[in-house]
């Protein structure tokens, strides 16, 4: 029956419609073919396939029973604040592009900066400096290859093995950001008995080095626009930044947001920007210098 291309196409369309809103089964083919309309169309070939036959038809129609694959995550993409941020970022990026030298695939210059003029330099120029990190493991290797029929499996180590993280800053002007004596690249061996664990403090050391190299290469003729992704190590706030995380409800004599860190900075609230401290004054009669606690902070507002 499936040799009839029109009939096969009708089944394909029927299954596709079901798949848009859920999951298909071989039983869907059985139910579809069993409808009076389809039976009348088949005429002398009229029959209702067995469920086993329906599964074979699914394969012939190029359907496969497999794990569902996820596409891009879209949760929250159309939220009002997300759309607003995206629009503002695109507008800001278009202004940045006016200050870039744009290169083609073969390195030819397609356009020069059109930003505001700078004495002795020409037009204000930005150079994009992108940053990223990748981790490679000891047992990383190709999983597929051409193998002779007589080849036997070789013993391999369990697990991924030791790792090395590579961090680097790259530009469209020079490729890897480097000078005659140093480069903005780090090989970090993560682990308790190795280089430790990479955090924001380690990142800032590399950023400082990248900035020094950049300033040495440009000598003031351009400004670097450094681009980072949203990895957790890139999102650290200042030691005295405001945060309600782990904040106690009531007053506390020794609470600090970071162990052995500074007190949280004061803030303001309301339309009049009323100042607010999170710690009692040192001359408080019963709790000098204590953290006020979330309850008192909210009541003050």
């Amino acid at each position: 029956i499936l040799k009839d291309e029109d009939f096969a196409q009708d089944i394909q369309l029927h299954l596709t419609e079901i798949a848009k809103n859920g999951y298909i089964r071989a039983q869907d083919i059985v139910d579809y073919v069993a409808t009076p309309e389809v039976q009348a169309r088949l005429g002398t070939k009229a029959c209702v396939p067995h469920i086993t036959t329906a599964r074979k038809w699914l394969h012939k129609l190029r359907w496969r029973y497999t794990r569902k694959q996820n596409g891009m995550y879209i949760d929250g993409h159309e939220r009002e604040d997300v759309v607003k941020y995206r629009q503002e970022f695109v507008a800001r990026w278009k202004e940045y592009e006016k200050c870039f030298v744009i290169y083609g695939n073969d390195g030819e210059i397609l356009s020069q900066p059109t930003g505001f003029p700078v004495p002795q330099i020409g037009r204000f120029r930005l150079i994009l400096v992108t940053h990223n990190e990748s981790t490679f493991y000891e047992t990383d290797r190709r999983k597929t290859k051409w193998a002779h029929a007589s080849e036997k499996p070789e013993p391999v180590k369990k697990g991924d093995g030791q790792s090395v993280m590579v961090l680097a800053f790259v530009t469209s002007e020079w490729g890897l950001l480097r000078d005659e004596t140093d480069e903005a690249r780090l090989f970090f061996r993560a682990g308790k008995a190795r280089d430790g664990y990479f955090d924001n403090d380690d990142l800032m050391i590399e950023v400082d080095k990248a900035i020094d190299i950049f300033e040495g290469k440009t000598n003031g003729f351009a400004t670097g626009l450094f681009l980072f992704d949203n990895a957790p190590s890139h999102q650290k706030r200042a030691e005295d930044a405001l945060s309600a995380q782990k904040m106690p409800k009531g007053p506390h004599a020794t609470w600090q947001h970071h162990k052995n860190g500074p007190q949280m900075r004061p803030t303001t609230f309301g339309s009049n920007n009323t100042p607010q401290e999170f710690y009692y004054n040192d001359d408080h009669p019963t709790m000098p210098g204590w953290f006020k606690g979330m309850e008192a902070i909210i009541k003050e507002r």
Side-chain angles (χ1 to χ4, degrees):
I1 296 177
L2 284 186
K3 291 181 180 179
D4 183 335
E5 293 183 1
D6 293 334
F7 178 68
Q9 184 65 22
D10 288 344
I11 294 179
Q12 191 77 276
L13 291 173
H14 178 70
L15 295 175
T16 302
E17 285 299 316
I18 296 175
K20 287 180 180 179
N21 301 311
Y23 300 90
I24 66 168
R25 308 165 300 158
Q27 185 65 40
D28 293 321
I29 292 181
V30 176
D31 295 341
Y32 175 73
V33 176
T35 60
E37 295 83 358
V38 175
Q39 288 291 299
R41 175 182 168 186
L42 291 175
T44 58
K45 296 181 180 179
C47 67
V48 177
H50 189 270
I51 190 73
T52 302
T53 302
R55 292 195 186 103
K56 292 179 180 179
W57 286 10
L58 280 172
H59 278 273
K60 288 185 178 181
L61 293 170
R62 300 186 66 187
W63 292 86
R64 298 294 182 267
Y65 192 82
T66 183
R67 182 182 294 274
K68 183 179 179 181
Q69 296 182 349
N70 292 329
M72 291 179 60
Y73 291 105
I74 59 172
D75 308 58
H77 281 197
E78 298 307 318
R79 243 176 34 210
E80 184 178 346
D81 60 322
V82 176
V83 172
K84 181 175 180 292
Y85 175 83
R86 188 164 63 236
Q87 291 172 342
E88 291 174 350
F89 178 83
V90 170
R92 188 163 65 247
W93 186 260
K94 287 181 178 178
E95 292 301 312
Y96 289 152
E97 284 188 325
K98 296 177 182 178
C99 305
F100 293 155
V101 174
I102 306 298
Y103 295 93
N105 293 333
D106 297 323
E108 73 278 13
I109 295 177
L110 300 181
S111 67
Q112 295 280 2
T114 59
F116 58 84
V118 178
Q120 300 178 346
I121 295 178
R123 295 287 175 177
F124 176 72
R125 182 176 175 185
L126 283 175
I127 293 179
L128 187 63
V129 184
T130 58
H131 161 274
N132 212 339
E133 302 146 0
S134 294
T135 300
F136 303 91
Y137 292 89
E138 180 183 2
T139 58
D140 278 345
R141 57 171 62 91
R142 288 181 58 174
K143 304 298 183 183
T144 57
K145 66 171 186 176
W146 288 102
H148 193 270
S150 63
E151 184 175 325
K152 296 181 179 179
E154 295 181 358
V156 295
K157 291 183 178 180
K158 289 183 178 180
D160 294 327
Q162 292 187 335
S163 67
V164 58
M165 186 194 78
V166 183
L167 172 153
F169 292 85
V170 179
T171 75
S172 58
E173 309 286 322
W174 315 294
L176 178 65
L177 183 57
R178 66 171 83 189
D179 57 20
E180 293 76 12
T181 60
D182 206 353
E183 64 181 17
R185 178 167 57 178
L186 171 70
F187 295 91
F188 190 89
R189 303 177 305 150
K192 187 175 181 179
R194 306 174 80 206
D195 294 336
Y197 296 96
F198 193 81
D199 59 18
N200 185 262
D201 293 333
D202 296 308
L203 174 64
M204 294 311 300
I205 292 172
E206 298 307 310
V207 171
D208 287 341
K209 184 169 71 171
I211 291 174
D212 288 342
I213 294 174
F214 181 88
E215 291 182 342
K217 290 181 73 68
T218 57
N219 196 27
F221 78 78
T223 298
L225 177 62
F226 284 71
L227 225 59
F228 298 85
D229 61 19
N230 287 323
S233 61
H234 305 164
Q235 300 174 15
K236 182 179 178 180
R237 291 181 285 185
E239 292 290 326
D240 64 346
L242 305 179
S243 175
Q245 208 171 35
K246 301 180 182 178
M247 186 181 286
K249 177 183 177 183
H252 199 288
T254 60
W255 185 82
Q256 304 286 356
H257 186 247
H258 297 284
K259 187 177 180 180
N260 301 322
Q263 293 184 349
M264 281 198 296
R265 68 177 74 132
T267 187
T268 59
F269 65 90
S271 58
N272 296 324
N273 291 324
T274 305
Q276 183 181 36
E277 296 280 350
F278 290 143
Y279 299 84
Y280 291 114
N281 293 332
D282 291 336
D283 58 356
H284 192 279
T286 58
M287 295 177 286
W290 283 34
F291 179 72
K292 292 179 178 179
M294 186 180 292
E295 185 175 11
I297 291 170
I298 293 175
K299 285 181 178 179
E300 289 178 355
R301 291 169 174 254

